Amino acid sequence: MRLALLTLALAAAAFAGAAFAADRYIVVQSTTSTQNSGLLDYLLPIFTAKTGIEVRVVAVGTGQAIKNAANGDGDVLLVHAKAAEEKFVAEGFGVKRFDLMYNDFVIVGPPADPAGVEGSTDVVAALQKIAETSAPFASRADDSGTHKAEMKLWKEAGIDPTAASGGWYRETGSGMGQTLNTGIGMGAYVLTDRATWVAFGNKGDYGIAVEGDARLFNQYGVILVNKDKLANVKADLGQAFVDWLISKEGQDAIAGFEVEGQQLFFPNAKGE
Amino acid sequence: MQDFGAAFWLAGELLVSGDETLAEIVVLSLKINAGAVALASAIGMPLGAILAVARFPGRQALVVLVNSLMGLPPVVVGLVVYLMLSNAGPLGVLQLLYTPTAMIVAQTVLVTPIVAALTRQVIEDMDAEYSEQLDSLAVGRLARIGTLLYDARASLVTAVLAGFGRSVAEVGAVIIVGGNINHVTRVMTTAIALETSKGNLALALALGFVLLTIAIVVNGAVGGLRLAMVRDAHA
Amino acid sequence: MLERPITRHGAVSALLPLVVEDLVFEAGGRRLIDGIDLTLEAGRRSVILGPNGSGKSLFLRLIHGLIPPTSGRIAWNGRPPGREVRLSQAMVFQQPVLLRRSVAANIDYALAAHGFDKAARRARTEQMLIEAGLEHLARQPARRLSGGEQQRLALARALAVEPDVLLLDEPTSSLDPHATLRIEMLIARAAQEGVRIVLVTHDIGQARRFADEVVFLHRGRIAEHAPAEVFFDEPGSEAARSFLAGELVL
């Protein structure tokens, strides 16, 4: 059976190829904004060059990242949903949560500005206007950090947008980039983190409509997953990464990351 | 659509320039697909042949099941394999999550029903032709399956190609179990998904063209092999 | 390896006599073989003759054990047809079923199925190719041969395994006279070497050339079973007389 031998040989080759990985690596469960903006591609080589520790990033929504980490499928969690992060630590999955950096959310919209919110610095008022005029709004609706922040803002505005789901309120159930692609395609307003927006390559004729409200603050935290609870965690290597991120060197590196001349993340770790 | 033109040029540039990152992604894609298709063939072909030749109660139900599994949603397969390989799952000790091996496993689950179902059809037709002759030669059950698989080799290439087509185009399963980790588990389809989510539509499309080119090359090469087999084997 | 009742070239075959008792085969509510009783002794060439649809092919398949009868008994020297018995038999079909491999590989395959070891297979394959006049085509894909060559290969494959009994189902019905002659010569030589021949045909001329005895089938029954000279000179049944006279036998 030459055919069988050939297939077996191919399988063996594939498996041999699969086993190339180095031992000194950690898995970071993180959010799409840190990857899509290019921040991690910028930071990680600096850290790896210094420590020899390879960092493998799984970039998903914050909700999924937290679940994956709670399953023990990550050593470090780097996300942006403070309440959920604190719960993660309180339940014993995380060792300790550190503030890492922040940026802010913005609402982007079409030049026609059907809700008349352009230039607004009051995000709650802007959301109310969008709801009143039934202007299309695309939501990620994926339990991500951005989605959680969006729902908090709607609550402050006293509106339950999900009642209009399928009408002017469009729940895409997908990641930031996909929601931007979809929202821009349908002329909808979208709440996005600034970093993803600035680095986004398919802006069309969209621009930032609402920004500068203190309530649009977007805090990122970093947590070492708890080895006592999840035995597979590479605690030493993970700790080294967390320590570096919140050290002066790491914080300076975050501040040094720019896209098109714009600083996208602002380090604010308090140190130890 | 200016994206198309731009994407076309970009694809050409990427291919000509021999971009290292792209080469890495392409090589990993081919390894994972080859591994998955090889495993799926090793499992699916005997399985399909047994379904074609053997007569046992529940056989028809099993045939329906295998045919239905061809339509398995990749995301569901990805999720199931993730839950198995996760550190919280039963196979977590193997430490395979977020590795190319995990991707091969998921792809194998996706491709095996395709290979098995197509093999069953091919072998059933061939058995109709060969059955009495093989009975007359007093060929045993196991040897009969081997004979049918070997003599159907030219037709089975099509089953393998169908499996390759499924695996090479699939993103839903591999992105969940592989994690789309740069330099580790990033393949053509997950890279395309990533660039799309970054809004880099031209680059995403260019990668799509590269993927298509690879598929054409593989299909062409295998198709040539098949022709040679047909020349050797058939009237 | 299986124990083979090797008696080739011997006077007595371990497989004979073939005794068939009250054999019935029904399909789709129709009785296609309708109570056949027959005994075939060793050392003769039997021709099963009859018009199309008389059940000749079915009868051959039944005694070879390829299909199970609806009722009745078949015994090769006391043994029912099955894998064991088939290891001492070979059958050539009307349309040869050749494997999608080379000419030589087709013969080698049959030998391997019958448990011949590698060296024996090589020698025997070469011998059979020469006997069948196919040695120059040994490496050719079997399915690319002409119709006559394909049937010669099927016959060579059948004889390669040294069967005691060779069953032939209209082996030359789709061949031209030249190809037919070469097939008949191969069959005749095998018969001379002691292979028990059972040939199904509707070709009267072929029956005359081959038969020591004739079994004439009509509508699933034996209309006549007689030595060849008796059958051809003084057929005892109406159906056989009509058939030999070239009339349409319904």
Side-chain angles (χ1 to χ4, degrees):
Chain A
M1 296 290 294
R2 266 167 298 168
L3 200 68
L5 285 176
L6 183 71
T7 52
L8 281 179
L10 280 170
F15 274 109
F20 59 78
D23 269 356
R24 278 174 63 80
Y25 72 87
I26 55 172
V27 172
V28 174
Q29 290 284 350
S30 187
T31 163
T32 47
S33 55
T34 54
Q35 179 170 65
N36 287 8
S37 62
L39 172 70
L40 292 175
D41 286 343
Y42 171 82
L43 281 185
L44 299 182
I46 302 174
F47 172 71
T48 302
K50 183 182 161 73
T51 61
I53 301 170
E54 184 195 345
V55 181
R56 299 182 178 179
V57 181
V58 178
V60 288
T62 291
Q64 199 191 332
I66 290 175
K67 281 197 191 85
N68 288 349
N71 281 338
D73 299 326
D75 305 299
V76 173
L77 184 63
L78 197 174
V79 290
H80 62 133
K82 193 168 178 180
E85 291 163 41
E86 283 171 342
K87 184 162 167 268
F88 181 79
V89 173
E91 287 169 352
F93 292 114
V95 176
K96 189 178 176 195
R97 179 188 175 282
F98 296 93
D99 278 339
L100 178 65
M101 62 194 182
Y102 68 90
N103 65 358
D104 61 341
F105 294 112
V106 296
I107 293 178
V108 297
D113 192 24
V117 296
E118 202 174 316
S120 168
T121 55
D122 182 340
V123 65
V124 168
L127 288 179
Q128 282 164 345
K129 267 192 193 166
I130 288 170
E132 277 162 27
T133 55
S134 296
F137 184 98
S139 167
R140 285 177 64 175
D142 65 347
D143 196 32
S144 61
T146 304
H147 179 234
K148 284 181 211 276
E150 182 206 315
M151 294 322 289
K152 206 168 138 214
L153 291 171
W154 284 114
K155 205 171 173 187
E156 285 183 43
I159 293 165
D160 174 17
T162 57
S165 181
W168 59 268
Y169 191 68
R170 318 268 168 85
E171 297 181 297
T172 65
S174 46
M176 193 70 256
Q178 196 53 49
T179 302
L180 281 170
N181 280 330
T182 309
I184 291 168
M186 58 173 65
Y189 292 99
V190 182
L191 179 80
T192 171
D193 65 282
R194 188 186 293 271
T196 299
W197 176 250
V198 169
F200 193 63
N202 185 33
K203 294 191 181 84
D205 52 5
Y206 264 50
I208 293 176
V210 182
E211 63 181 330
D213 189 319
R215 286 169 292 197
L216 288 169
F217 181 73
N218 179 24
Q219 176 67 48
Y220 287 79
V222 62
I223 302 171
L224 175 68
V225 181
N226 192 352
K227 190 178 173 53
D228 295 342
K229 182 106 172 175
L230 300 159
N232 288 302
V233 172
K234 294 173 181 163
D236 296 346
L237 302 183
Q239 187 67 55
F241 183 55
V242 173
D243 288 346
W244 181 78
L245 281 175
I246 61 178
S247 71
K248 176 156 192 326
E249 191 187 340
Q251 294 278 292
D252 288 348
I254 290 171
F257 173 63
E258 290 181 349
V259 173
E260 293 172 7
Q262 264 190 69
Q263 181 178 346
L264 294 186
F265 293 93
F266 299 86
N268 65 344
K270 290 168 189 73
E272 272 298 79
Chain B
M1 288 297 290
Q2 61 186 38
D3 275 338
F4 274 107
F8 218 76
W9 278 116
L10 204 51
E13 275 177 33
L14 283 171
L15 284 172
V16 171
S17 69
D19 182 274
E20 255 184 56
T21 310
L22 178 68
E24 184 184 76
I25 290 173
V26 167
V27 167
L28 185 62
S29 292
L30 287 176
K31 274 185 180 171
I32 286 172
N33 285 309
V37 170
L39 276 176
S41 300
I43 301 166
M45 285 185 183
L47 182 67
I50 288 168
L51 280 178
V53 173
R55 294 290 173 269
F56 54 88
R59 172 184 167 272
Q60 200 50 42
L62 209 57
V63 168
V64 170
L65 178 69
V66 169
N67 285 341
S68 307
L69 289 179
M70 282 200 286
L72 265 182
V75 176
V76 173
V77 172
L79 198 56
V80 170
V81 174
Y82 167 77
L83 290 172
M84 301 299 285
L85 296 183
S86 163
N87 274 310
L91 301 178
V93 289
L94 298 177
Q95 292 295 304
L96 289 178
L97 193 64
Y98 305 137
T99 65
T101 307
M103 299 162 85
I104 292 177
V105 170
Q107 298 274 40
T108 302
V109 173
L110 276 173
V111 174
T112 299
I114 294 177
V115 175
L118 295 179
T119 299
R120 184 197 60 80
Q121 189 59 58
V122 166
I123 296 299
E124 213 165 273
D125 292 347
M126 182 160 284
D127 190 44
E129 182 193 344
Y130 276 25
S131 181
E132 288 202 332
Q133 180 65 66
L134 296 183
D135 275 342
S136 176
L137 288 171
V139 176
R141 288 221 162 270
L142 210 61
R144 165 181 303 244
I145 285 172
T147 300
L148 290 168
L149 282 173
Y150 182 73
D151 273 42
R153 59 201 181 279
S155 305
L156 291 180
V157 168
T158 307
V160 171
L161 280 181
F164 179 79
R166 164 95 155 167
S167 71
V168 82
E170 187 281 326
V171 61
V174 290
I175 205 164
I176 294 177
V177 303
N180 190 25
I181 297 168
N182 205 3
H183 304 306
V184 181
T185 56
R186 185 161 299 166
V187 290
M188 291 300 296
T189 54
T190 61
I192 291 170
L194 176 63
E195 292 309 329
T196 305
S197 77
K198 285 177 172 177
N200 296 332
L201 301 194
L203 179 55
L205 203 54
L207 290 170
F209 285 137
V210 173
L211 182 64
L212 183 64
T213 307
I214 293 167
I216 290 171
V217 168
V218 169
N219 272 277
V222 177
L225 185 72
R226 180 174 187 278
L227 272 183
M229 282 182 180
V230 170
R231 244 196 333 271
D232 283 353
H234 290 255
Chain C
M1 218 222 292
L2 290 154
E3 197 182 317
R4 305 177 60 250
I6 296 175
T7 53
R8 193 177 188 220
H9 307 171
V12 183
S13 162
L15 277 186
L16 293 163
L18 164 69
V19 177
V20 176
E21 288 171 359
D22 197 21
L23 187 67
V24 172
F25 181 81
E26 291 174 348
R30 293 180 56 214
R31 188 168 273 223
L32 302 173
I33 297 289
D34 187 12
I36 288 185
D37 291 286
L38 177 70
T39 300
L40 295 183
E41 303 286 352
R44 281 180 236 172
R45 301 194 291 191
S46 305
V47 169
I48 299 176
L49 189 65
N52 285 329
S54 57
K56 309 183 296 288
S57 270
L58 264 180
F59 181 69
L60 206 62
R61 286 179 158 80
L62 283 163
I63 62 174
H64 195 34
L66 295 182
I67 48 177
T70 305
S71 65
R73 207 174 80 85
I74 302 164
W76 292 92
N77 195 16
R79 289 187 293 171
R83 194 161 173 266
E84 284 298 309
V85 164
R86 280 200 294 273
L87 277 170
S88 306
Q89 301 179 340
M91 178 160 166
V92 174
F93 295 83
Q94 188 172 356
Q95 293 298 326
V97 181
L98 298 179
L99 302 179
R100 288 161 170 79
R101 309 173 186 208
S102 73
V103 168
N106 264 273
I107 296 175
D108 182 77
Y109 179 87
L111 291 167
H114 281 246
F116 286 74
D117 68 34
K118 196 153 192 165
R121 264 149 55 197
R122 191 176 309 131
R124 186 90 183 123
T125 298
E126 199 181 319
Q127 181 196 345
M128 292 316 297
L129 287 175
I130 292 168
E131 281 185 23
L134 294 169
E135 70 272 28
H136 61 294
L137 298 169
R139 305 253 65 91
Q140 291 288 313
R143 299 207 157 218
R144 310 198 102 203
L145 302 183
S146 71
E149 288 165 343
Q150 290 205 16
Q151 196 58 290
R152 244 155 58 219
L153 173 56
L155 186 53
R157 182 175 64 183
L159 291 172
V161 302
E162 304 182 344
D164 295 341
V165 176
L166 178 64
L167 308 169
L168 299 138
D169 184 8
E170 310 229 19
T172 61
S173 65
S174 53
L175 301 183
D176 61 47
H178 180 74
T180 299
L181 177 64
R182 297 194 70 166
I183 295 286
E184 289 190 357
M185 284 167 63
L186 281 168
I187 298 171
R189 186 181 324 159
Q192 271 168 19
E193 289 174 5
V195 181
R196 179 67 166 89
I197 305 286
V198 180
L199 171 73
V200 161
T201 186
H202 67 270
D203 175 347
I204 297 163
Q206 190 167 55
R208 278 183 191 277
R209 292 192 291 277
F210 265 100
D212 293 327
E213 64 174 355
V214 174
V215 177
F216 186 77
L217 281 193
H218 182 226
R219 293 184 182 169
R221 289 169 170 274
I222 294 182
E224 198 161 342
H225 179 193
E229 60 279 12
V230 176
F231 178 82
F232 290 115
D233 295 346
E234 302 168 44
S237 66
E238 187 56 39
R241 268 196 297 277
S242 307
F243 185 74
L244 289 173
E247 293 163 20
L248 282 173
V249 180
L250 303 174

